[in-house]
Amino acid sequence: VAVNGQLIRSKHKRKFNTYFGVVSVYYQPDGVSVTVSTDSIAMTDGSNNHTFTWQATADITQDGVRISIVRNSQVTITINNNIQVMVLLHRVWKKNPVNVDFLGVYIPNNNQYSPLVHGLIGQFSREPLPEVSVYDIHEGADPLKKEATMEVKGNKLLVTRGWQKDYRRDTRRGSNVYCWFIHNSGKGFIDGHYTDYIVPDLDSFLQMP
């Protein structure tokens, strides 16, 4: 199973914000690919192609891959009842001068991966899980955002307190989830460099480290 995403950017000319514009789940044993974009949901099974809009609720099963679409809200892709990926649709006002429609990706903690799982998801899903500790919490340049030191994988990183939106329960407003932001594209937190995770196409598998 390969889970990949394609990034898009906001329309802001100075600030470079990126979001998921496309999310793909590819199940290689049966050759089933599911591609979710802000416009549609497409399933490819060999020479058979099926495309669904966000305007209707649907439930489709093909060769061990189940797609559950909730109208204008979310799609859940389940592989053989043991791996699940939830993709949420976030619409913005069509005339918004900066923001664009984007997707949110949620991965359950109880997914049953093989010991060979790797990549951005895999490195934080296989046993033993990386130990993470945060200490030396202090005031930062922004009085609303504290700073601290995070120790992970033998590295000490400067992190900044902030929040992200969780839209799973409230798809319109979302709820604030406080977290620590890691700078420099995750350097020291993820294995290798962020460019190591770039693949040629959405159905590609990342090479084993």
Side-chain angles (χ1 to χ4, degrees), residues 78-203:
T78 306
I79 310 292
N80 288 337
N81 294 319
N82 56 19
I83 294 179
Q84 192 174 88
V85 179
M86 178 189 290
V87 181
L88 266 64
L89 173 66
H90 302 298
R91 293 281 192 213
V92 299
W93 180 46
K94 290 184 178 180
K95 296 182 180 180
N96 192 299
V98 175
N99 296 327
V100 294
D101 293 346
F102 67 97
L103 303 173
V105 182
Y106 297 87
I107 309 292
N109 291 329
N110 59 353
N111 273 354
Q112 299 173 31
Y113 302 109
S114 83
L116 298 178
V117 65
H118 59 287
L120 286 173
I121 297 172
Q123 64 188 278
F124 297 102
S125 303
R126 61 175 178 260
E127 300 290 345
L129 297 176
E131 293 186 9
V132 179
S133 61
V134 177
Y135 56 90
D136 187 27
I137 301 174
H138 57 273
E139 296 295 328
D142 185 337
L144 297 177
K145 298 180 179 179
K146 293 184 180 296
E147 294 181 349
T149 298
M150 174 183 288
E151 192 164 346
V152 57
K153 298 179 179 178
N155 301 312
K156 293 183 179 180
L157 313 174
L158 174 67
V159 292
T160 304
R161 188 70 162 169
W163 55 88
Q164 289 281 50
K165 290 288 187 180
D166 184 339
Y167 291 95
R168 284 175 292 181
R169 292 182 175 84
D170 186 340
T171 56
R172 288 185 176 275
R173 293 180 296 272
S175 57
N176 287 335
V177 177
Y178 289 90
C179 50
W180 292 104
F181 284 89
I182 300 161
H183 307 284
N184 300 320
S185 301
K187 183 179 180 181
F189 185 77
I190 61 174
D191 295 339
H193 192 265
Y194 78 91
T195 55
D196 298 335
Y197 300 90
I198 297 175
V199 292
D201 56 66
L202 287 170
D203 287 346

Side-chain angles (χ1 to χ4, degrees), residues 59-70:
D59 200 304
I60 312 100
T61 301
Q62 182 73 35
D63 295 331
V65 179
R66 180 181 179 185
I67 304 175
S68 301
I69 304 169
V70 178

